[in-house]
């Protein structure tokens, strides 16, 4: 089937009705009084029998002119036919965000699936790649349509297109598709919203299957354990240009505290915040809105947050330094100072007594032979301790020796200031600091350093880092040493086992609901909720198609321009027309 | 400019009159002898010459013409064809001929050819006094001319102004006019649309006289056929006129009314300046 380079030229077909109109006008007899019909007796009267309604006079010339118009318009539209039988490479970038479910049962995803199948049945693509656009691009699969069952394979693969991500980074996925497929590849983007601008790359087509709709959604939900009680925050938004109302039902899983139901009336784009306080260890709490066009964001589950405080033993003799550290520890929410079974020891002793095998140590070393350093500070940004540090303008007092045990994390030129020594999973950090020669402790970098250390240690403490996570984010579980795999059971999914790396198990939260983890004998639960305001907002959804592959110079070689054929035919027809016209004269 | 009616170069019959014609006639002014030919007036045989030569000889005198003009106007509706100059041309030419006749010392009488050839009221006076000049006859003027033959002045000049677009034998009309006429002038007044057919395309032609309609497709072929038909029709009339010794000229009404240039009539000797 030919495609057209300039389909707008097909508007020229409007000339056909114009031609018909001209002939119709010509066929309308004009009244003319003559002196006598005597000299017209030889002329045949056109309509014997006195018919009052005459059909359109369509002489051969008319058909020739009509044919000429048709041929010229087709020629101007630039018909292209495929140069060969081989398929062209295609990458389909699939918006994997949950807004694609909006408008169910005729959701954008369902409409898109139908369009993709239709496209694949109409044209041959070789190879066909399916790429999911979520937080990061992911290849769903590659199909060789030459095997004859390409469309069926594609449909099978598309079943794995769940549209459960809280974001779809389409630009990244498009770049990835071009990198994967090379210059010849076409990219078809399937989504539910219009592109920010007309696709600049003519190898790109953008198909959107959404339609603007109102939606009420829970856009934020947290549950934290603070001061011996669980605090729950819910934010419900009316993502609509008009006021709406819905019911909010809150219940716990064990039906202990019963169920509350309330009617929420919200103005256009209004967000209502609800704060609840629960007893510590209260069962999972469920909040549910009345049904609308997108169900995934109408319900949240919040499981009890696991309190993960790091036990810190402060063994600092210098009072001034001790106060500095203690104050910073208090500002972090997950540190408890204790001397019993510490997980982290902070000391100003260069060599201390034998520590517990699981304890981490931060040694703050104040050397006598010291100097103040203004920089330049070299920071290992990949290290967890350096997260958020900004040492510009800081004066750091430290010993002068260049030799210092451990891997440097922060250096002032060639002087190590903070080093890390790892031994069997536990870390010993050495911080060279003379507070009297420094301004570090007077800057935000000081509490950041302490907080980074505590958080780092907390992450490695067995247990979940976060019990309530947003869809698409990472779930991190620190496991006890010796455990090399974790069993995960997600909602509406089979149980599977996944490996542990360096005592940390990380998995992407891809299923909304409560999931369960089993690490050795320990069991954990976490809740995943679809909380992405951008995805819940369906008011900007759009339906349409943008881009035209045929215009792409990179793809021209696949097509042969056939403009010459209709234009040549038009010339021939015009020649016949001219000959007939001259013969009639 | 003052026009006067010229003496026709041919006359249909010898007649006595006040003017000397170009042809031999019955005046007392001798012109020449010639051999007798069958049909010649036996009274003109020069018996003296016969006695001398035993040969019948005819004595020819200059023709003496009685100067009178019978002016016959075609009263059919086609002479007043809408959107044409035929009516103006017809009446104008009639007036010119009548005035020119007066200027030449002719008497004249005007006739309107309708269902019969009826005299125009005050038709012997100056054209401005002519009355009841209506061109609305829907029939065939030939029949009118035959039904009640007009009482034309014998040996007078007769002029017919018409578009000649009749169905019928031209010689019948010419013979009617030629009876007792000294000369005949036939002026065919055609509209430009009669000479050049309407524009191309589908045209419903309406006969101005009978209101009969005919829808035809006018293309190059149709136009060619029309022109051929007109040429044949005019040839028939010309042939009939020649046989009767009549002079026929064609006038295109729009052309003549645009400038009233009468050079054609002068060229044929019908008018003299």
């Amino acid at each position: 089937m030919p495609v057209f380079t300039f389909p707008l030229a097909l508007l020229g077909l409007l000339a056909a009705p114009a031609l018909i109109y001209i002939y119709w006008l010509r066929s309308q007899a004009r009244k003319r009084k003559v002196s006598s019909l005597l000299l017209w007796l030889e002329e045949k009267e056109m309509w014997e029998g006195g018919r009052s309604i005459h059909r359109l006079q369509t002489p051969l010339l008319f058909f020739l002119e009509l044919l000429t118009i048709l041929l010229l318009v087709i020629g101007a539209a630039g018909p292209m036919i495929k140069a060969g039988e081989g398929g062209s490479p295609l990458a389909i970038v699939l918006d994997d965000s949950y807004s694609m479910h909006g408008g169910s049962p005729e959701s954008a995803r369902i409409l898109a699936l139908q369009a993709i199948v239709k496209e694949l049945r109409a044209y041959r693509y070789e190879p066909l790649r399916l790429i999911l656009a979520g937080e990061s691009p992911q290849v769903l699969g590659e199909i060789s349509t030459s095997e004859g069952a390409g469309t069926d394979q594609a449909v099978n693969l598309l079943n794995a297109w769940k549209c459960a991500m809280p974001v779809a980074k389409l630009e990244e996925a498009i770049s990835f598709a071009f990198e994967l497929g090379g210059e010849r590849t076409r990219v078809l983007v399937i989504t539910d919203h219009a592109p920010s601008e007309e696709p600049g790359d003519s190898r790109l087509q953008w198909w959107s299957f959404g339609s603007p709709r109102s939606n009420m959604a829970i856009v934020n939900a947290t549950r934290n354990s603070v001061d011996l009680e669980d605090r729950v925050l819910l934010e419900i938004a009316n993502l609509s240009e008009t006021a709406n109302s819905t019911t909010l039902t809150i219940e716990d899983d064990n039906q202990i505290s019963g169920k509350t139901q309330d009617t929420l009336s919200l103005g256009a784009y209004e967000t209502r915040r609800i704060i609840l306080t629960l007893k510590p260890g209260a069962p999972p709490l469920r909040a549910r809105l009345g049904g609308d066009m997108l169900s995934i964001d109408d319900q949240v589950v919040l499981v009890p947050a696991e309190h993960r405080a790091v036990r810190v033993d402060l063994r600092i003799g210098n009072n001034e330094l001790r106060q500095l550290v203690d104050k910073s520890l208090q500002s972090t929410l997950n540190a408890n100072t204790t001397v019993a079974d510490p997980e982290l020891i902070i000391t100003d002793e260069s060599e201390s007594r034998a520590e517990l095998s699981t304890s981490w140590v931060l040694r703050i070393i104040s050397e006598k032979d010291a100097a103040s350093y203004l920089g330049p500070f070299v920071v290992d940004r990949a290290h967890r301790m350096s997260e958020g540090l900004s040492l510009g303008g800081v004066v750091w007092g430290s010993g002068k020796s260049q030799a210092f045990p451990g891997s440097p994390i922060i250096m002032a030129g060639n002087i190590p200031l903070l080093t890390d020594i790892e031994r069997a999973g536990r870390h010993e950090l050495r911080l060279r600091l003379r507070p009297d020669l420094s301004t570090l402790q007077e800057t935000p970098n000081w509490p950041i350093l302490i907080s980074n250390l505590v958080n780092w240690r907390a992450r490695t403490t067995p247990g979940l880092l976060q019990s309530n996570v947003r869809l698409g984010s990472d779930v991190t579980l620190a496991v006890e040493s010796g455990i090399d795999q974790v069993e995960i059971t997600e909602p509406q999914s089979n149980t599977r086992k996944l490996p542990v790396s360096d005592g940390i198990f990380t998995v992407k939260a891809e299923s909304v609901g409560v999931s369960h983890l089993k690490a050795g004998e320990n069991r954990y639960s976490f809740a995943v909720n679809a909380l992405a305001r951008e995805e819940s907002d369906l008011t900007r959804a759009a339906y349409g198609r943008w881009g035209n592959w045929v215009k792409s110079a990179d793809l021209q070689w696949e097509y042969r321009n056939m403009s010459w054929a209709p234009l040549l035919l038009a010339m021939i027809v015009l020649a016949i027309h001219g000959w007939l016209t001259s013969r009639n004269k | 400019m003052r026009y006067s009616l010229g003496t026709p170069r041919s006359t249909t019959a010898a007649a006595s009159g006040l003017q000397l014609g170009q042809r031999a006639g019955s005046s007392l002014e001798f012109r020449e002898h010639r051999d007798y030919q069958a049909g010649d007036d036996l009274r003109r045989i020069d018996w003296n010459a016969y006695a001398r030569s035993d040969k019948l000889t005819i004595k020819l005198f200059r023709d003496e013409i009685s100067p009178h003009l019978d002016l016959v106007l075609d009263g059919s509706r086609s002479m007043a064809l809408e959107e044409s100059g035929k009516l103006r041309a017809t009446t104008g030419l009639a007036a010119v001929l009548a005035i020119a006749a007066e200027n030449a010392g002719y008497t004249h009488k005007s006739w309107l050819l309708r269902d019969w050839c009826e005299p125009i009221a005050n038709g012997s006076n100056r054209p401005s006094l002519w009355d009841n000049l209506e061109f609305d006859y829907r029939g065939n003027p030939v029949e009118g001319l035959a039904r009640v033959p007009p009482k034309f002045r014998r040996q007078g000049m007769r002029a017919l102004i018409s578009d000649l677009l009749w169905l019928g034998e031209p010689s019948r009309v010419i013979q009617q006019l030629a009876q007792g006429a000294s000369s005949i002038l036939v002026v065919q007044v055609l509209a430009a649309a009669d000479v050049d057919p309407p524009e191309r395309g589908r045209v419903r032609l309406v006969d101005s006289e009978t209101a009969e309609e005919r829808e035809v497709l006018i293309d190059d072929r149709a136009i060619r056929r029309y022109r051929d038909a007109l040429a044949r029709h005019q040839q028939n009339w010309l042939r009939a006129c020649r046989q009767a010794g009549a002079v026929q000229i064609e006038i295109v009404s729009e052309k003549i009314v645009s400038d009233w240039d009468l050079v054609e009539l002068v060229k044929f000797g019908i008018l003299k300046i």
Side-chain angles (χ1 to χ4, degrees):
Chain A
M1 187 179 173
V3 291
F4 295 102
T5 314
F6 308 108
L8 270 180
L10 294 176
L11 286 174
L13 287 174
L14 291 174
L19 179 71
I20 292 169
Y21 183 63
I22 289 168
Y23 267 81
W24 180 78
L25 284 179
R26 280 189 58 183
S27 68
Q28 297 305 298
R30 298 178 302 280
K31 207 168 182 177
R32 169 75 66 175
K33 246 181 189 175
V34 292
S35 296
S36 172
L37 289 177
L38 173 71
L39 302 173
W40 293 102
L41 294 177
E42 286 185 26
E43 289 306 308
K44 274 188 182 175
E45 190 160 18
M46 293 188 69
W47 304 105
E48 305 290 346
R51 285 169 55 183
S52 57
I53 299 173
H54 298 162
R55 68 181 175 84
L56 176 66
Q57 292 296 292
T58 51
L60 178 59
L61 290 180
F62 166 76
F63 288 111
L64 291 179
E65 287 160 13
L66 199 62
L67 184 60
T68 304
I69 288 172
L70 185 67
L71 291 169
L72 287 176
V73 168
I74 291 174
M80 311 270 280
I81 59 167
K82 291 200 80 169
E85 286 299 312
S88 40
L90 173 67
I92 302 180
V93 172
L94 302 159
D95 184 335
D96 203 24
S97 63
Y98 62 75
S99 64
M100 293 290 288
H101 289 297
S104 182
E106 286 200 341
S107 66
R109 180 179 176 276
I110 298 294
L111 296 175
L113 277 174
Q114 293 167 355
I116 292 169
V117 170
K118 191 177 173 185
E119 175 74 11
L120 296 182
R121 289 205 169 124
Y123 299 100
R124 192 174 163 204
Y125 295 104
E126 174 72 32
L128 170 67
R129 292 186 180 90
L130 300 175
I131 295 169
L132 293 178
E135 183 69 38
S136 58
Q138 180 186 345
V139 176
L140 191 59
E142 183 174 325
I143 302 156
S144 175
T145 53
S146 61
E147 292 165 13
T151 307
D152 294 338
Q153 285 182 36
V155 170
N156 287 336
L157 272 179
L158 285 167
N159 287 331
W161 177 32
K162 300 292 186 189
C163 298
M165 289 290 110
V167 67
K169 295 186 176 173
L170 291 172
E171 293 301 325
E172 283 183 24
I174 291 167
S175 302
F176 177 67
F178 278 127
E179 281 177 22
L180 201 64
E183 287 188 353
R184 282 182 49 208
T185 198
R186 292 170 171 74
V187 173
L188 173 60
V189 178
I190 301 293
T191 183
D192 62 348
H193 60 273
S196 54
E197 57 186 15
E198 187 75 21
D201 192 329
S202 51
R203 295 174 296 168
L204 179 69
Q205 273 203 57
W206 186 292
W207 293 3
S208 175
F209 298 92
S211 54
R213 298 171 196 277
S214 301
N215 184 34
M216 291 192 86
I218 301 173
V219 294
N220 198 10
T222 60
R223 178 170 177 170
N224 293 313
S225 184
V226 180
D227 297 337
L228 299 177
E229 59 184 15
D230 280 5
R231 287 187 187 165
V232 172
L233 167 74
L234 296 174
E235 282 186 350
I236 296 139
N238 173 26
L239 301 168
S240 167
E241 292 173 352
T242 56
N244 279 314
S245 62
T246 187
T247 56
L248 170 64
T249 306
I250 297 174
E251 57 189 339
D252 61 58
D253 265 10
N254 297 336
Q255 304 290 316
I256 294 170
S257 55
K259 184 166 77 173
T260 60
Q261 189 164 353
D262 202 0
T263 301
L264 280 177
S265 294
L266 300 177
Y269 290 108
E270 184 187 346
T271 301
R272 180 76 50 85
R273 182 173 292 178
I274 296 169
I275 297 172
L276 304 170
T277 305
L278 306 176
K279 290 177 182 175
L285 177 136
R286 289 182 185 273
R288 192 171 64 249
L289 297 177
D292 56 19
M293 302 306 286
L294 185 61
S295 59
I296 192 170
D297 57 11
D298 290 340
Q299 177 173 297
V300 292
V301 185
L302 296 168
V303 299
E306 189 181 347
H307 187 64
R308 290 165 49 84
V310 177
R311 296 184 299 276
V312 183
D313 184 6
L314 278 181
R315 299 176 186 174
I316 301 174
N318 185 324
N319 273 341
E320 189 182 346
L321 185 61
R322 184 186 179 88
Q323 283 176 3
L324 280 175
V325 175
D326 195 30
K327 193 176 176 184
S328 295
L329 282 175
Q330 286 175 16
S331 67
T332 63
L333 295 173
N334 52 351
N336 286 336
T337 52
T338 179
V339 292
D341 192 17
E343 292 164 313
L344 174 64
I345 299 169
I346 300 177
T347 178
D348 56 357
E349 297 169 355
S350 56
E351 295 298 332
S352 60
R353 58 183 181 271
E355 288 93 15
L356 293 170
S357 61
T358 55
S359 298
W360 289 20
V361 179
L362 169 65
R363 296 185 188 281
I364 303 173
I365 299 168
S366 299
E367 295 156 281
K368 285 183 180 174
D369 186 15
S372 295
Y373 297 100
L374 294 170
F377 297 109
V378 183
V379 181
D380 176 7
R381 289 289 175 193
H383 202 279
R384 289 190 178 275
M385 287 297 291
S386 65
E387 193 175 329
L389 287 179
S390 176
L391 299 177
V394 169
V395 179
W396 195 310
S398 165
K400 297 177 182 175
S401 66
Q402 296 174 15
F404 204 73
S407 304
I409 301 168
I410 302 172
M411 295 179 77
N414 57 355
I415 309 296
L417 302 176
L418 177 62
T419 61
D420 179 18
I421 301 168
E422 184 184 1
R423 294 192 185 97
R426 57 182 288 271
H427 291 261
E428 180 181 333
L429 294 114
R430 289 168 184 258
L431 176 68
R432 300 170 81 182
L433 181 69
R434 280 278 298 272
D436 54 323
L437 298 176
S438 302
T439 61
L440 176 71
Q441 68 280 5
E442 296 165 9
T443 68
N445 293 293
W446 178 252
I448 288 173
L449 268 174
I450 301 300
S451 177
N452 284 348
L453 176 61
V454 173
N455 286 338
W456 184 18
R457 182 66 184 98
R459 283 177 64 87
T460 58
T461 304
L464 281 165
L465 192 63
Q466 276 186 298
S467 297
N468 296 298
V469 296
R470 289 172 181 256
L471 183 67
S473 58
D474 287 337
V475 175
T476 304
L477 173 71
V479 296
E480 292 175 345
S481 58
I483 295 176
D484 58 0
Q485 61 181 15
V486 171
E487 196 175 276
I488 179 169
T489 306
E490 292 175 307
Q492 302 165 351
S493 176
N494 294 329
T495 300
R496 55 193 169 127
K497 287 182 177 176
L498 297 172
V500 173
S501 172
D502 295 334
I504 300 293
F505 167 77
T506 304
V507 68
K508 188 75 83 179
E510 293 179 338
S511 298
V512 171
V514 178
S515 298
H516 303 284
L517 297 171
K518 184 182 176 191
E521 296 303 316
N522 295 325
R523 294 173 186 274
Y524 308 92
S525 294
F526 64 92
V528 180
N529 297 304
L531 302 168
R533 189 187 183 98
E534 290 292 315
E535 288 302 315
S536 294
D537 188 352
L538 303 178
T539 56
R540 285 173 292 177
Y543 189 96
R545 297 187 179 199
W546 293 264
N548 185 353
W549 285 329
V550 181
K551 287 183 181 174
S552 172
D554 296 322
L555 305 176
Q556 293 286 330
W557 65 273
E558 292 176 11
Y559 285 89
R560 186 177 296 145
N561 192 322
M562 296 300 291
S563 290
W564 61 270
L567 292 177
L568 181 65
L569 281 173
M571 297 288 284
I572 293 170
V573 173
L574 280 175
I576 294 170
H577 185 281
W579 176 71
L580 286 173
T581 310
S582 62
R583 201 184 64 161
N584 283 341
K585 280 184 180 173
Chain B
M1 193 175 291
R2 182 185 170 89
Y3 290 104
S4 60
L5 200 61
T7 307
R9 288 182 184 136
S10 61
T11 51
T12 53
S16 59
L18 300 175
Q19 296 275 323
L20 294 175
Q22 294 292 318
R23 294 186 63 187
S26 57
S27 70
L28 297 174
E29 187 180 342
F30 174 75
R31 190 178 163 199
E32 61 180 341
H33 283 97
R34 71 160 171 79
D35 290 345
Y36 170 80
Q37 290 176 354
D40 285 343
D41 190 349
L42 293 175
R43 292 173 296 181
R44 294 185 186 170
I45 295 173
D46 187 348
W47 298 109
N48 293 329
Y50 174 74
R52 287 194 298 272
S53 62
D54 199 21
K55 192 177 174 183
L56 288 174
T57 304
I58 292 290
K59 202 174 184 178
L60 296 178
F61 299 86
R62 253 186 209 285
D63 193 14
E64 188 177 316
I65 298 171
S66 178
H68 178 80
L69 172 67
D70 280 306
L71 189 57
V72 182
L73 306 184
D74 181 356
S76 57
R77 286 178 70 91
S78 66
M79 296 305 290
L81 182 68
E82 293 168 18
E83 299 175 10
S84 79
K86 283 175 84 171
L87 181 61
R88 282 187 65 200
T90 301
T91 53
L93 280 171
V96 166
L97 290 176
I99 297 297
E102 274 188 24
N103 293 341
Y106 280 53
T107 58
H108 73 268
K109 186 171 184 180
S110 303
W111 305 80
L112 194 61
L113 186 56
R114 292 158 59 88
D115 52 346
W116 61 288
C117 195
E118 57 190 85
I120 293 173
N122 302 323
S124 297
N125 298 326
R126 295 184 67 82
S128 57
L129 300 174
W130 295 355
D131 206 359
N132 291 337
L133 202 58
E134 290 179 351
F135 296 85
D136 57 359
Y137 182 55
R138 292 178 177 274
N140 190 334
V142 180
E143 294 165 4
L145 200 62
R147 192 177 300 124
V148 183
K151 293 179 179 175
F152 294 139
R153 175 84 61 84
R154 282 194 59 80
Q155 297 183 7
M157 181 178 174
R158 288 163 198 173
L160 170 65
I161 302 177
S162 168
D163 55 11
L164 305 181
L165 296 176
W166 309 320
L167 192 59
E169 184 57 43
S171 57
R172 279 183 65 195
V173 179
I174 298 298
Q175 282 169 10
Q176 284 276 347
L177 289 172
Q179 273 187 339
S182 62
S183 61
I184 304 170
L185 169 65
V186 177
V187 182
Q188 185 181 28
V189 178
L190 292 175
D194 295 331
V195 179
D196 287 316
E199 61 271 33
R200 289 166 178 76
R202 282 184 63 181
V203 180
R204 191 182 305 137
L205 302 170
V206 182
D207 193 308
S208 61
E209 294 175 3
T210 63
E212 183 187 348
E213 293 188 0
R214 190 175 186 83
E215 194 170 309
V216 295
L217 177 66
I218 299 180
D219 54 10
D220 292 335
R221 286 183 176 181
I223 289 171
R224 200 161 53 233
R225 282 194 293 269
Y226 176 87
R227 286 183 176 147
D228 290 347
L230 178 63
R232 279 198 306 275
H233 187 72
Q234 288 178 315
Q235 281 297 321
N236 288 339
W237 274 92
L238 202 58
R239 195 178 303 117
C241 287
R242 278 181 188 155
Q243 285 173 355
V247 173
Q248 182 192 338
I249 63 168
E250 179 197 322
I251 297 290
V252 178
S253 60
E254 285 81 356
K255 186 167 178 291
I256 198 82
V257 299
S258 65
D259 54 5
W260 288 106
D261 184 357
L262 304 171
V263 65
E264 283 291 307
L265 296 172
V266 175
K267 197 165 74 181
F268 278 85
I270 296 160
L271 295 177
K272 290 191 293 188
I273 299 172

